[in-house]
Amino acid sequence: MAERIEQRLEDRIPELEQLERVGLFTHKEIRAVLRKASALEYKIQRRALRKEDFINYIQYEVNLLELIKKRRARIGYSFKKDEIEYSILHRVHSLFNRATGKWKDDVQLWLSHVAFCKQWNAKHQLSKVFSTMLAIHSNKPALWIMAAKWEMETRLSSESARHLFLRALRFHPECPKLYQEYFRMELMHAEKQRKEKKEFEQAKMDLGEFNYSEEILNGEMARIVYRDASQKIKGVEFQLAVLSIAKLFDFTEDLQKEILESLQARYADDPLTWDYMARRELELGSLQPTEHSTKQKKVSEMAQREERCCAVFDEAVGAVPTEDMWKCYITFCLERYNRKTNSEELKQKRLERTLSVFSKAHESKLLSEALYKQWLQLLLDSSLSEKAVEVAEAATRHFSQSVEVWQMRLRVLIQLKRDDVTQCFEEAIKHVKSKGTLPLWTLWVEWSEGTNSKEDTEALYQRSLHATTPAESVTMKEMYLDWTYRSSGYKKVKRLFTSLCENRPFSLDFFRKMIQIEKEQESCKMLHLREYYERALREFGSTNTDLWLDYIKEELSHPQGKPENCGSIHWRAMKMLQGDLVEDFVSKYTLLQTGHL
């Protein structure tokens, strides 16, 4: 092994001598490079190879290349690249080849090699990397697309890109993304040939051997790709994606027309088809004019286009009366309403249209929970509070089991300071099953704290403890404790804590809250703190190391604490903690003893 490493280091000597001779590195720096290279070489020649060692070696060589590049720029020296950089580049490629040969499944390693090749313009080497990588990772369409794009955009080889796409489709015959990118590539190839032909014609050159097929110039290859793909890939999303690609090229009118006809014929009942057809009216209807048009004309034209869109949507919800179709219609209306405009008339028209569509969807009973929420927010923002109350009530009738919808209605009533809030809370609790009602109870007690008397709020807290599930009651206990301390003081909260401790379950925060309350008192008693810690440890002593450490810290720092108790607390912790927590506790306790925690 040592002989091999010595040989590799000797192979470096010519480039290092050149670096010193031309003044890019000093003799001292050359020696440092050799020492570092020697250490890195030994690491990658061991029997048990590690990926990190290869990555570190490669990173070192890349950093060396960058340093040489900066020093060349600084002194203005650009010769001897064959003897210096190219030998380093060759070594980096060799390291990458060894690493990817050893860890073939690491895609990130392959991509790092690809990125390095691109950075240093190693086209020939990159072609080999792509070839080897795709042979191993043929199951990843994104890698095929990356390789084909490079062939098309960097090497300007449409033929190679097409060959790669065809190979990829043999492995992934139903991959939409592959077909989309293949379709795009064929259109780019057609556009490139059209530009070449145009330049030849402008220069009045004889095309001679250059044979530009009219079919290819008109995107016929892309049409073949589309037809083949549409037979294998079902779904309107693919059709729309292909159509959006075709629209980027100005010679694809016939192709766009074919895709559109196919879309309407095969997916007439899909909401996305109608959504596209409606939004298309925004692009189609513009008048030729516009430089000398007045603002009023522009506003009028935009209003007309939006009306045409809505006419298509109205037809759509009649033909496809589904929740998704209404969602598309409402989303369009909200998008238009949220667009900035200086015309108050247009903004008001958009608002009225949006509210009208919401109402129609509601009457059709095809409005989702999320859309009810958006409708309510729009009504509140528009100061239509009475309508908001009416809509919220209708939403709870339609989704009577939904906690979120009841929350929505209650928040509206609370925001508007209505008198029937309590009645609505009672109605909500009656309709919704006990499991999952926690958000309603927390909202109710929070509202009661700021509105009702202390007696009413306390009665409500007591009621919530019995009405919620045991797991949910934990949160209510924490809130009850906090509110009692804020409203009635220390003595009351201490009695409440003792009372609540009679019924499990508890949370750790419940005990920590009481410990914090005790610490806030002027005459903070260690006796009480011990009681709270002991209660907490009975529940969480086997699973929480920090609780034990806090208890020990309290005994050490409190004026009434007994440091001699720390030993017994430590012994109990070691007995009670489970699994790896013992080791965690020991390390933290050591840090505490040495003053680092």
Side-chain angles (χ1 to χ4, degrees):
M1 182 177 81
E3 292 83 358
R4 194 183 306 133
I5 292 170
E6 288 300 320
Q7 181 62 51
R8 288 179 186 276
L9 293 175
E10 284 177 18
D11 292 343
R12 280 177 173 268
I13 290 173
E15 79 199 44
L16 295 174
E17 286 177 346
Q18 290 288 2
L19 282 169
E20 187 177 359
R21 188 178 301 124
V22 300
L24 290 170
F25 278 51
T26 64
H27 182 68
K28 187 178 179 181
E29 287 172 331
I30 294 297
R31 289 177 64 84
V33 169
L34 268 173
R35 280 197 302 273
K36 184 67 176 175
S38 176
L40 291 167
E41 280 288 351
Y42 270 101
K43 285 184 177 179
I44 65 164
Q45 297 297 338
R46 294 184 298 196
R47 283 187 179 180
L49 296 177
R50 294 180 354 158
K51 194 194 307 181
E52 292 74 20
D53 294 333
F54 280 89
I55 292 170
N56 291 337
Y57 198 170
I58 290 166
Q59 189 60 57
Y60 177 74
E61 295 288 7
V62 170
N63 293 341
L64 191 63
L65 283 168
E66 291 292 341
L67 182 59
I68 293 169
K69 187 178 178 182
K70 286 178 181 177
R71 290 195 176 178
R72 279 186 180 280
R74 190 178 67 193
I75 66 173
Y77 185 83
S78 59
F79 304 104
K80 301 287 183 183
K81 287 191 176 181
D82 285 349
E83 291 92 333
I84 299 171
E85 276 94 336
Y86 289 170
S87 64
I88 299 175
L89 288 171
H90 177 74
R91 190 159 52 248
V92 173
H93 288 309
S94 176
L95 286 167
F96 266 122
N97 289 336
R98 278 188 66 191
T100 51
K102 174 72 175 173
W103 295 281
K104 295 182 175 67
D105 293 335
D106 190 337
V107 176
Q108 194 56 51
L109 204 55
W110 288 100
L111 294 178
S112 297
H113 197 180
V114 168
F116 177 78
C117 293
K118 286 181 178 179
Q119 183 182 356
W120 293 94
N121 200 29
K123 293 182 180 179
H124 179 68
Q125 186 67 34
L126 182 51
S127 188
K128 288 183 179 178
V129 172
F130 273 130
S131 179
T132 311
M133 179 175 69
L134 291 173
I136 295 166
H137 294 283
S138 57
N139 60 331
K140 295 179 174 62
L143 299 181
W144 288 99
I145 292 169
M146 181 194 294
K149 276 190 173 182
W150 179 74
E151 290 286 354
M152 180 70 189
E153 295 169 8
T154 306
R155 299 192 74 185
L156 305 177
S157 173
S158 306
E159 196 61 43
S160 297
R162 185 180 296 118
H163 178 65
L164 278 170
F165 274 121
L166 290 171
R167 279 181 61 200
L169 288 169
R170 284 204 293 274
F171 289 101
H172 308 278
E174 295 181 359
C175 178
K177 190 65 180 172
L178 266 176
Y179 272 110
Q180 288 168 31
E181 294 304 325
Y182 186 16
F183 180 78
R184 189 197 307 271
M185 187 279 292
E186 290 294 359
L187 289 176
M188 286 170 67
H189 175 60
E191 185 179 49
K192 176 183 159 191
Q193 291 216 330
R194 289 171 75 91
K195 284 180 180 176
E196 284 179 4
K197 186 180 179 186
K198 186 178 179 183
E199 285 170 5
F200 279 134
E201 288 172 350
Q202 284 176 346
K204 296 181 180 177
M205 291 176 64
D206 181 19
L207 295 180
E209 70 228 32
F210 297 105
N211 181 22
Y212 291 100
S213 164
E214 281 300 318
E215 288 185 340
I216 291 176
L217 293 176
N218 292 329
E220 195 59 37
M221 292 292 286
R223 191 191 302 272
I224 292 168
V225 173
Y226 163 71
R227 286 175 179 171
D228 182 45
S230 61
Q231 290 175 2
K232 295 175 182 175
I233 300 170
K234 310 300 178 189
V236 69
E237 293 86 355
F238 176 75
Q239 300 282 335
L240 292 174
V242 171
L243 187 55
S244 67
I245 293 169
K247 285 169 70 176
L248 300 173
F249 300 87
D250 56 9
F251 57 89
T252 60
E253 291 84 0
D254 291 343
L255 181 55
Q256 289 180 48
K257 187 178 176 184
E258 179 179 330
I259 297 170
L260 203 57
E261 287 172 356
S262 172
L263 185 68
Q264 289 175 295
R266 296 172 63 187
Y267 303 101
D269 294 336
D270 195 300
L272 290 177
T273 302
W274 285 98
D275 185 56
Y276 176 81
M277 297 305 296
R279 289 172 184 270
R280 193 160 164 264
E281 295 295 326
L282 283 176
E283 303 166 13
L284 294 178
S286 92
L287 304 169
Q288 288 301 323
T290 74
E291 284 181 26
H292 306 292
S293 296
T294 63
K295 284 186 179 178
Q296 187 58 40
K297 280 185 179 177
K298 287 180 180 177
V299 168
S300 174
E301 179 199 337
M302 180 56 70
Q304 287 174 12
R305 283 198 254 168
E306 288 180 4
E307 287 297 333
R308 287 199 296 275
C309 291
C310 290
V312 177
F313 271 119
D314 286 332
E315 184 184 348
V317 292
V320 188
T322 64
E323 192 175 291
D324 286 340
M325 191 68 255
W326 280 107
K327 183 181 178 181
C328 291
Y329 194 176
I330 290 167
T331 302
F332 168 78
C333 291
L334 287 170
E335 283 173 10
R336 302 311 298 176
Y337 173 71
N338 290 325
R339 283 179 72 89
K340 290 183 179 178
T341 176
N342 294 324
S343 169
E344 285 301 319
E345 180 189 350
L346 182 58
K347 190 156 186 74
Q348 185 60 32
K349 190 177 286 186
R350 286 172 173 172
L351 174 61
E352 289 171 2
R353 180 193 302 128
T354 306
L355 293 174
S356 170
V357 173
F358 268 120
S359 294
K360 289 175 183 175
H362 165 64
E363 288 165 12
S364 303
K365 297 182 179 179
L366 291 170
L367 207 56
S368 66
E369 285 185 41
L371 291 178
Y372 268 115
K373 189 175 181 179
Q374 288 181 288
W375 189 9
L376 277 172
Q377 193 58 55
L378 183 62
L379 290 167
L380 292 170
D381 292 344
S382 307
S383 302
L384 298 169
S385 54
E386 289 304 317
K387 181 65 176 174
V389 172
E390 185 185 321
V391 168
E393 187 179 348
T396 52
R397 280 201 304 270
H398 194 58
F399 298 100
S400 61
Q401 297 288 316
S402 171
V403 174
E404 289 79 12
V405 172
W406 281 106
Q407 273 183 288
M408 205 162 58
R409 179 180 173 186
L410 288 161
R411 286 202 175 100
V412 169
L413 296 178
I414 291 168
Q415 187 176 333
L416 299 174
K417 297 182 178 177
R418 299 277 295 216
D419 297 331
D420 53 347
V421 175
T422 302
Q423 181 185 338
C424 187
F425 270 118
E426 295 285 3
E427 193 180 344
I429 295 298
K430 187 173 72 176
H431 278 91
V432 180
K433 293 174 182 176
S434 62
K435 189 177 181 181
T437 56
L438 179 62
L440 296 177
W441 283 107
T442 54
L443 183 62
W444 196 352
V445 295
E446 283 168 3
W447 168 78
S448 182
E449 285 175 18
T451 310
N452 295 341
S453 65
K454 281 204 283 188
E455 290 76 14
D456 289 343
T457 302
E458 183 159 13
L460 193 59
Y461 268 117
Q462 289 286 355
R463 182 180 163 192
S464 71
L465 294 176
H466 296 98
T468 51
T469 62
E472 291 174 340
S473 69
V474 166
T475 305
M476 298 311 301
K477 285 175 186 175
E478 291 171 29
M479 293 179 68
Y480 192 4
L481 203 67
D482 185 53
W483 171 77
T484 303
Y485 179 57
R486 285 187 283 109
S487 62
S488 304
Y490 174 70
K491 287 185 179 179
K492 179 76 179 285
V493 80
K494 194 170 184 312
R495 288 198 301 274
L496 174 67
F497 175 77
T498 306
S499 169
L500 291 176
C501 281
E502 292 174 7
N503 295 303
R504 286 186 173 88
F506 310 108
S507 69
L508 185 57
D509 287 338
F510 172 73
F511 293 106
R512 287 200 181 278
K513 182 67 188 172
M514 195 60 215
I515 291 167
Q516 187 59 39
I517 290 170
E518 182 66 41
K519 286 183 178 182
E520 289 173 10
Q521 307 312 305
E522 286 183 19
S523 58
C524 172
K525 294 182 180 178
M526 189 62 205
L527 187 66
H528 294 160
L529 286 175
R530 282 197 195 100
E531 179 196 343
Y532 305 146
Y533 272 114
E534 290 295 342
R535 285 181 181 273
L537 288 169
R538 279 201 291 272
E539 303 295 329
F540 302 101
S542 62
T543 56
N544 193 290
T545 56
D546 291 338
L547 196 57
W548 290 101
L549 291 163
D550 290 344
Y551 192 5
I552 291 170
K553 281 192 241 177
E554 211 68 65
E555 288 286 9
L556 291 170
S557 61
H558 196 281
Q560 300 168 12
K562 294 181 179 179
E564 61 269 24
N565 289 351
C566 294
S568 64
I569 296 170
H570 178 274
W571 183 83
R572 287 168 57 201
M574 296 291 287
K575 290 289 183 185
M576 193 177 286
L577 286 167
Q578 299 173 353
D580 296 338
L581 292 174
V582 176
E583 190 178 332
D584 185 37
F585 173 74
V586 169
S587 61
K588 286 181 179 178
Y589 184 67
T590 306
L591 289 172
L592 179 64
Q593 285 181 311
T594 54
H596 292 91
L597 188 65

